[in-house]
């Protein structure tokens, strides 16, 4: 039930929004900053104004938690560079749970049963390949294990559940709602255990479109069309909205969680009061673990407030595994899917949920401490020129370069670090080209969270591809830039019109991140 409530909230769109005054994460033991520290932070996070040399500490985007990149596909799978020795065992056990292949019930492996019955993957690692970026299926022989479709349908406030409605009313929202499909739930699962048909098969078709660039260059963008084929439980509900998602990289999540909410909210400008065309908005979601509204940070539209809650939601929706936060043993199966709900599950007398609190904590610790690799070639002249172009084109209006994390009593790895995630963690209108036309929380059908850019230049090394954006449509960093619209349209147009040498330098800079 709580998982369905979360899905209902995650698909509720709002416009006018009075944010609650306290959106900080109550699970973080924060040591308040002094006035002297605040002044120092303002100085070190000020935007760069000179580009003839790297800024101090720019090589280490995760502060002391940064690690030296390996020359292989394991470079996103290392623990925080400053992790104490006594905490490394927790990281390794969490890694084991992240990789663990769950099996269907009943099973002799009692600690691993409970899969599905409907699911997208058998483990976290199957979607977050090498802790990196997923990809869309490439041809009929390639499955969509690191990509799925979210689904929701229009609804009315009267049909919305009371807990959700109370929250939305408390923040002044009165806009139309959406809810999960009454049969298929909040996302479509493309696998089923024995005796349970999969919900669908993902079909992707592309249409190529040429884009003219300066200096006689051209680029080609592929516009995707997604459909749910071979539906296993009847037609989708009328008005069903589908939105594709590839698994995002896992690095640096604990540092993003440790950025003060006040620092993120200070960047929001929902009415574009400064007239710069950028109107970032904070995503506010309901935390089911803490029973309060919180700042959304995780997911393509910031639908989850904490790493632990995001992990529990993924266990429920992607693998069909219950946890202390979302305790339905059947995951995303709806009341219409009676066979799924009546099937054997992995909870019972021996354990209340299929992954217990200790296991969820270990997965959370692992996810929190996947390290960000160090920058490469930060002093190279072309990289420095590309950085200047990045600033001049206005990219930093959304891809905020620097923050300083909270002082944390019990998280030394994330405590008081100067970090360079290249995101403001806000929602921005990205234009019609990237629109999924499916609301999620405060995000409307054209808005997405600014994606962190740290580590993006190592995607091919880790995952063997260069496919970017929320659905992997962009086959290169340049294509990803060219898909930007809405608030980012002026920056995108500047890239189209700038000399080829500057455009090449910009891509070189991005590859160094």
């Amino acid at each position: 039930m709580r998982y369905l409530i979360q899905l209902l909230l995650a698909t509720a769109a709002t416009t006018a929004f009075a944010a609650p005054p306290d959106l900080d994460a109550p699970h973080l033991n924060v040591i308040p900053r002094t006035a002297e520290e605040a002044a120092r932070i303002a100085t070190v996070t000020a935007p760069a104004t000179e580009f003839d040399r790297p800024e101090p500490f720019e090589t280490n985007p995760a502060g002391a938690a940064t690690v030296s990149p390996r020359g292989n596909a394991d470079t996103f799978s290392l623990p925080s560079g400053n992790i104490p020795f006594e905490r490394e065992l927790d990281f390794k056990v969490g890694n084991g749970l992240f990789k663990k292949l769950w099996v269907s019930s009943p099973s002799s492996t009692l600690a691993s049963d409970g899969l599905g019955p409907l699911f997208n993957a058998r483990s976290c690692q199957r979607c977050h390949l090498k802790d990196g970026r997923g990809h869309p299926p490439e041809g009929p022989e390639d499955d969509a294990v690191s990509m799925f479709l979210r689904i929701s349908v229009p609804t009315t406030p009267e049909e919305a559940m009371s807990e959700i409605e109370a929250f939305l009313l408390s923040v002044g929202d009165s806009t139309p709602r959406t809810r999960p499909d009454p049969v298929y739930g909040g996302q479509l699962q493309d696998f089923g255990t024995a005796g349970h048909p999969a919900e669908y098969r993902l079909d992707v078709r592309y249409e190529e479109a040429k884009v003219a660039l300066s200096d006689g260059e051209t680029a080609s963008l592929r516009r995707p069309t997604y459909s749910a084929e071979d539906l296993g439980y009847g037609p989708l509900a009328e008005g069903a909205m589908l939105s594709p998602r590839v698994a995002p990289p896992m690095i640096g999540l604990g540092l993003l969680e440790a950025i003060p909410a006040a620092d993120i909210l200070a960047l929001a400008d929902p009415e574009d009061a400064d007239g710069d065309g950028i109107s970032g908005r904070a995503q506010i979601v309901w935390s089911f673990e803490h029973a309060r509204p919180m700042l959304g940070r995780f997911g393509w539209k910031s639908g989850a407030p904490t790493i632990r809650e995001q992990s529990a939601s993924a266990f429920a929706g992607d693998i069909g595994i219950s946890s202390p936060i979302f305790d339905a043993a059947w995951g995303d199966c709806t009341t219409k899917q009676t066979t799924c709900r009546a099937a054997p599950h992995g909870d019972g007398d021996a354990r209340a949920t299929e992954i217990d609190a200790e296991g969820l904590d270990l997965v959370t610790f692992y996810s929190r401490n996947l390290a960000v690799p160090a920058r490469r070639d930060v002093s190279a002249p072309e990289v420095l020129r590309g950085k200047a172009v990045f600033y001049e084109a206005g990219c930093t209006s959304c891809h905020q370069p620097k923050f300083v994390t909270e002082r944390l009593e019990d998280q030394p790895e994330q405590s008081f670090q100067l970090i360079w995630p290249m995101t403001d963690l806000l929602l921005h209108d990205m234009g019609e080209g990237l629109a999924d036309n499916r609301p999620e929380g405060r995000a409307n059908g054209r808005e997405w969270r600014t994606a962190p850019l740290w580590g993006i230049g190592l995607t091919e090394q880790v995952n063997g591809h260069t496919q970017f954006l929320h659905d992997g449509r962009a086959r290169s960093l340049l294509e990803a830039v060219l898909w930007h619209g809405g608030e980012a349209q002026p920056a995108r147009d500047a890239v189209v019109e700038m000399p080829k040498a500057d455009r090449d330098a910009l891509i070189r800079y991005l590859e160094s991140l």
Side-chain angles (χ1 to χ4, degrees):
M1 178 65 71
R2 285 183 290 176
Y3 179 60
L4 291 178
I5 291 175
Q6 186 211 31
L7 289 169
L8 284 172
L9 177 62
T11 54
T14 69
T15 50
F17 193 92
D22 181 11
L23 299 172
D24 284 317
H27 64 293
L28 299 179
N29 295 319
V30 175
I31 302 172
R33 292 174 175 175
T34 65
E36 180 183 0
E37 285 176 340
R40 288 167 49 205
I41 290 168
T43 298
V44 300
T45 58
T49 57
E50 299 179 356
F51 302 97
D52 57 343
R53 63 180 65 86
E55 295 174 76
F57 313 113
E58 190 173 359
T59 303
N60 296 324
T66 306
V67 295
S68 297
R70 292 185 177 180
N72 57 33
D74 293 328
T75 202
F76 283 179
S77 300
L78 306 175
S80 299
N82 56 349
I83 192 171
F85 176 77
E86 61 272 15
R87 290 161 72 95
E88 289 187 18
L89 179 59
D90 287 344
F91 180 86
K92 292 175 181 177
V93 175
N95 184 19
L97 291 171
F98 196 81
K99 292 179 176 179
K100 180 166 79 167
L101 295 176
W102 294 84
V103 298
S104 59
S105 300
S107 169
S108 60
T109 57
L110 296 180
S112 299
D113 69 341
L115 175 69
L118 301 175
F119 61 98
N120 295 107
R122 290 183 59 198
S123 74
C124 307
Q125 185 78 211
R126 288 288 180 93
C127 286
H128 298 279
L129 307 168
K130 304 297 289 185
D131 303 300
R133 190 181 303 270
H135 61 84
E138 295 292 339
E141 302 302 318
D142 186 13
D143 62 38
V145 74
S146 61
M147 183 180 191
F148 65 80
L149 294 177
R150 291 210 183 278
I151 181 172
S152 54
V153 297
T155 191
T156 65
E158 291 74 23
E159 292 176 318
M161 302 182 73
S162 59
E163 185 172 357
I164 300 304
E165 195 61 24
F167 167 67
L168 293 173
L169 289 173
S170 74
V171 294
D173 176 75
S174 61
T175 57
R177 315 282 189 245
T178 64
R179 59 185 173 87
D181 184 283
V183 173
Y184 289 94
Q187 69 188 60
L188 292 169
Q189 282 84 22
D190 49 356
F191 294 102
T193 58
H196 299 274
E199 290 187 324
Y200 83 122
R201 175 180 58 83
L202 174 61
D203 185 73
V204 188
R205 306 290 175 91
Y206 294 103
E207 180 181 352
E208 294 282 343
K210 293 290 185 181
V211 177
L213 308 175
S214 66
D215 294 345
E217 282 201 315
T218 61
S220 182
L221 303 183
R222 58 178 187 176
R223 181 180 298 276
T225 299
Y226 301 94
S227 61
E229 303 294 332
D230 301 336
L231 292 168
Y233 299 84
L236 303 178
E238 183 178 356
M241 297 171 282
L242 301 176
S243 181
R245 299 285 194 276
V246 296
M250 297 289 295
I251 58 172
L253 298 185
L255 295 163
L256 297 179
E257 188 176 52
I259 297 172
D263 292 357
I264 297 170
L265 293 172
L267 299 172
D269 185 16
E271 305 301 327
D272 192 19
D274 61 7
D276 67 352
I278 306 298
S279 51
R281 302 194 303 147
Q283 173 72 290
I284 313 298
V285 299
W286 184 262
S287 169
F288 289 90
E289 180 176 15
H290 301 291
R292 51 170 286 183
M294 290 178 60
L295 179 68
R297 300 173 188 246
F298 303 106
W300 288 104
K301 296 202 178 194
S302 287
T306 68
I307 299 170
R308 193 169 191 265
E309 201 155 324
Q310 171 69 20
S311 300
S313 177
F315 270 118
D318 302 348
I319 314 178
I321 297 297
S322 60
S323 70
I325 299 178
F326 304 118
D327 55 8
W330 47 77
D332 190 35
C333 294
T334 66
T335 55
K336 301 287 187 181
Q337 295 169 317
T338 55
T339 303
C340 174
R341 290 202 171 199
H345 300 292
D347 57 350
D349 295 337
R351 49 186 175 148
T353 56
E354 291 160 333
I355 186 168
D356 60 16
E358 182 180 13
L360 183 60
D361 286 343
L362 287 165
V363 171
T364 301
F365 183 80
Y366 173 74
S367 302
R368 183 178 288 144
N369 281 287
L370 283 164
V372 179
R375 290 272 310 278
R376 286 86 51 216
D377 303 325
V378 293
S379 300
E382 189 177 28
V383 170
L384 290 171
R385 177 57 193 154
K387 179 182 176 182
V389 171
F390 189 81
Y391 276 69
E392 291 164 2
C395 302
T396 57
S397 296
C398 300
H399 291 284
Q400 180 75 13
K402 293 174 281 185
F403 290 94
V404 172
T405 60
E406 299 274 26
R407 281 196 182 275
L408 302 172
E409 289 187 348
D410 53 2
Q411 291 180 216
E413 303 88 354
Q414 289 82 43
S415 181
F416 210 59
Q417 300 297 323
L418 171 63
I419 63 173
W420 307 66
M422 313 302 290
T423 175
D424 59 7
L425 293 179
L426 297 174
L427 301 171
H428 292 276
D429 182 339
M430 294 300 293
E432 192 59 35
L434 288 177
D436 66 350
N437 299 309
R438 176 185 174 273
E440 182 177 335
R442 294 192 74 198
N444 62 37
R446 292 165 55 104
E447 289 180 311
W448 301 91
R449 180 198 70 162
T450 304
L453 297 182
W454 49 15
I456 198 167
L458 293 168
T459 300
E460 186 171 17
Q461 177 181 310
V462 172
N463 294 122
H465 68 78
T466 55
Q467 299 185 63
F468 304 105
L469 301 177
H470 67 282
D471 56 1
R473 69 176 69 186
R475 295 160 294 189
S476 68
L477 290 170
L478 178 59
E479 285 188 29
V481 172
L482 295 177
W483 271 110
H484 283 50
E487 297 173 41
Q489 187 72 39
R492 178 263 186 201
D493 291 347
V495 173
V496 168
E497 296 165 4
M498 67 179 53
K500 179 182 183 300
D502 283 353
R503 194 162 49 241
D504 291 344
L506 173 64
I507 300 304
R508 183 74 178 85
Y509 168 67
L510 294 175
E511 290 172 343
S512 79
L513 295 177

